[in-house]
Structures are given as C-alpha cells and as structure tokens.
Amino acid sequence: MLASLALTLTSLAVAHAQLTPNNLVAASTSGTLSGLKYTSVGGTGSYYQVTNMLPGVFPSCTIADSCQKTLVTTSGPLAPFDNQLTFNFRGPMNLFNIAVYQPTNTTGSTWKKISSWAQNETPDNMVFMNNMGGGASGEWSICGGSSQSYASGDWTAAVASPNAELYPGNLASGKEINIMTATPCTADTCEGFFRGTANEGWAGSKMIVIDYNMPEDPSALPAIWTLDAQVVRSAQYGCNCRGEGSGSTICAEMDIAETLTPNSPNAFSEIYSFKGATGTGDNNFFPRPTGGRATLTAIYDVKTDTITALRLTSFDYTQTQLTRSMIDAYINSPAMVIPFGTSKRSPARSFNHRRHH
C-alpha cells in the first residue's frame, strides 16, 4: 500500500511538472516568434525620479529647471519593472479584451483577475486614459504641457470622469491610450511627482492578456508597450523618469510588440532600464495581426526575475484566477531567451522613434 501511495504521489508530481497550456501557438524561437523571455531582468540601479514640475507662466516657459528630479536607487528581482506599470497602445488597433492577473498573497500560489475589460462593456478596476489633460479632465501648464486625462469612448478626446462612455475598442491611427487601475493616487501610494488626473498602476508581479489586431495604415506605427506609471503621471513626452534613448539612470520601459516602419508585417520587442537596453533585434519578431483576432500575453514575474511574452491561440477571459503552476507553465513555454544581464545592446533604438507629435 505504501509503495502504491508513493507511486501515485510520484505520478502526480510528474503530471504537475509537465503541465502544458493548451492555448500556445506552434513553437518558434527565432524569426517569427511564438514567444520571448527576458531573463535576469532585475538588479540594483538608479534613475532620476521627478519630484516637482514648475508650471511657469503663460505665454512662455522661462524656468530653466521646471522639471525637477532626484536620483533614487532601486534593487531586487525584476527591478524596476516591479514598480507600478501602465500598459500603452497606439493605433491603428482594435482591442477586444484585456485582463490583468496578480498574485493574491505572498506565496503567489494563486493569481487573481484584478482588472478586466471587454468591448462595449464597463471596465472592472481599469481606467482608460490619454495625454490630453487641461480641458475636460487633468491639467495643462506652459512648462509641463498636458497631464493624463480620462479618455473618451472613441479614444480621441478627454472626458470629465473615468470610463464615462463605453469603449467600442477602435483606436484610430496615431492615437494613444494607456490603462491604469481605478484607484486614484495619493502621496502614500504613488511614487514620484504626479499631477492632474493620476491613478495607480499594477505593482509587483502581473500578467496582462490582450485580444487585438493592428490594421494596415501607411501613415502609422501601431504598438503595445509598458512604462513605469511615473512616466505618464508627470508627462509621458516631457518631464519624466524615462527620458530618451537608453542609459544608466532611467526607469522602466518595455516595447511588447512595436512596428517600426509603416505597414510592416513585423512587431519587435525592446526592454529599457538602468541596466541599458536589449531586445529581439532586427530578425526576430512577433507577426503583426492585421485582421482577425490575435491574443498576446506578457508576464512580469518577480519570483523568476523574468518577463515573458507569448502568442496564444485564444484565452478564456471568464477565468477569475490562475494557479502558480499555470503561470510557471506559460513562463517555461518555448521562447526566444534574451538574458538582460549579458546581452545588452548599444546603442538602443532612440525613444524618439515612437514619440507622438
């Protein structure tokens, strides 16, 4: 009986170890990628955190140091991607579903669906925002420009309150939005300087799943990327902790899937922090889904100090939680492995290649 029990326990352990998600696309770790995994993401380093933005006096900004910063140090697995993050989108893009999962306790045995949205439905703990502050919501100054604002239903303007309109999910060419949690910032909950309309992002470990496509347009470069939430809470394209390009004193950015030339069939990935920059390079990429409905997930995991992005065949958004064993199965799926500690590329692509004007 004891031998039989031992055999059963062994079988269960093997089955647990061999757990494989049933929604992975065919494996490809070079060229057209099924997935990629950044390893050794975290470390110890510093970045310039915004501490104040002096507004100036209209009609011109005459303050030389209107963007005030101080050097702060961060350390640990996944740092600085363990900070609160925001997820960003640029059109042309159709969004169908978004969900964010996070560990529910210190053991991380279960990851709960924290935030979610589906086309034409009211978001749950998720707010769509853009950089149009100073009118219906948010604020504007001559030195700082526009803060964050609550996005309108068509994602082209600002409205006075969060999620005031339903979102059909059609993001126009060149327009940008980002998502945050529904919790407004306080001095105790949000690092760095924030102004106008400012909400918390997702801190620690997190998994985002997105159903989307990127229609062709000869004049636009659609993209999905992640930023330290501090960047958008000060000024995404102005005074922030990210700055431009790569360097040893910047906070976090990850381009999950970004097109670099108009109507390119390929979407590339790049990661930036105080460690420098690296990415998929010019010959490895995610295929750009110009029609239909594609599913992409990105997992930021403190436990393994990795960031994993995977293409999925589909995803069941009704799932309210995922087990740690399933998270591990996704993380351990076939993927192009990019060690951040040893494969830093220089020079990195300029931050201006995506700058919205």
Side-chain angles (χ1 to χ4, degrees):
M1 182 179 294
L2 290 176
S4 177
L5 177 60
L7 181 60
T8 299
L9 292 174
T10 300
S11 299
L12 288 173
V14 170
H16 177 78
Q18 293 177 342
L19 179 65
T20 301
N22 63 3
N23 59 341
L24 300 175
V25 302
S28 176
T29 58
S30 63
T32 303
L33 300 174
S34 60
L36 64 92
K37 179 163 66 176
Y38 293 104
T39 61
S40 303
V41 172
T44 298
S46 302
Y47 64 90
Y48 281 104
Q49 183 178 80
V50 178
T51 58
N52 196 15
M53 293 176 66
L54 303 180
V57 178
F58 187 81
S60 60
C61 180
T62 58
I63 305 173
D65 59 346
S66 63
C67 178
Q68 299 184 352
K69 300 181 179 183
T70 188
L71 193 64
V72 297
T73 299
T74 185
S75 182
L78 209 64
F81 291 89
D82 57 338
N83 287 352
Q84 292 182 21
L85 298 184
T86 181
F87 298 96
N88 304 257
F89 308 87
R90 188 194 316 106
M93 188 178 300
N94 293 305
L95 291 167
F96 305 98
N97 284 94
I98 304 174
V100 179
Y101 293 79
Q102 291 192 279
T104 56
N105 51 44
T106 55
T107 65
S109 58
T110 301
W111 288 39
K112 181 181 178 181
K113 184 164 65 175
I114 301 296
S115 308
S116 60
W117 166 80
Q119 271 187 324
N120 290 312
E121 295 184 9
T122 301
D124 180 13
N125 189 36
M126 184 182 296
V127 174
F128 286 89
M129 309 188 80
N130 51 23
N131 299 306
M132 297 183 178
S137 55
E139 66 179 53
W140 178 91
S141 70
I142 190 64
C143 288
S146 292
S147 73
Q148 287 263 273
S149 52
Y150 300 125
S152 61
D154 63 2
W155 292 333
T156 65
V159 293
S161 58
N163 302 328
E165 303 170 359
L166 293 179
Y167 303 103
N170 312 116
L171 184 60
S173 294
K175 295 297 183 181
E176 296 184 1
I177 55 168
N178 64 287
I179 55 173
M180 303 288 257
T181 73
T183 305
C185 281
T186 69
D188 295 326
T189 61
C190 291
E191 289 189 75
F193 177 82
F194 58 89
R195 63 188 179 125
T197 301
N199 281 36
E200 294 180 19
W202 292 270
S205 295
K206 48 255 171 184
M207 172 184 182
I208 186 169
V209 191
I210 307 161
D211 274 17
Y212 75 108
N213 65 36
M214 296 175 170
E216 292 185 345
D217 186 317
S219 64
L221 302 174
I224 302 171
W225 73 103
T226 305
L227 290 170
D228 190 311
Q230 295 179 73
V231 173
V232 297
R233 289 195 295 245
S234 53
Q236 182 172 348
Y237 295 113
C239 175
N240 62 58
C241 62
R242 169 62 181 86
E244 298 180 10
S246 64
S248 59
T249 52
I250 63 173
C251 58
E253 176 187 0
M254 179 187 168
D255 302 326
I256 301 173
E258 176 185 27
T259 61
L260 299 178
T261 56
N263 282 346
S264 169
N266 307 325
F268 300 89
S269 179
E270 186 93 359
I271 187 172
Y272 305 81
S273 80
F274 51 71
K275 295 178 73 171
T278 191
T280 52
D282 295 331
N283 299 314
N284 304 290
F285 44 81
F286 288 127
R288 171 184 177 174
T290 56
R293 189 167 176 152
T295 305
L296 185 66
T297 184
I299 304 170
Y300 302 74
D301 186 46
V302 173
K303 180 180 178 180
T304 58
D305 194 21
T306 60
I307 301 175
T308 304
L310 299 170
R311 293 164 52 214
L312 305 177
T313 58
S314 62
F315 188 80
D316 180 4
Y317 288 91
T318 66
Q319 295 177 98
T320 59
Q321 61 185 34
L322 300 171
T323 63
R324 176 69 213 195
S325 58
M326 181 56 72
I327 297 296
D328 284 334
Y330 281 126
I331 292 173
N332 294 324
S333 298
M336 177 184 181
V337 177
I338 306 173
F340 197 13
T342 58
S343 66
K344 289 176 288 187
R345 179 173 58 77
S346 181
R349 296 188 183 101
S350 167
F351 189 57
N352 282 321
H353 68 83
R354 190 194 332 96
R355 184 175 289 271
H356 172 69
H357 294 284

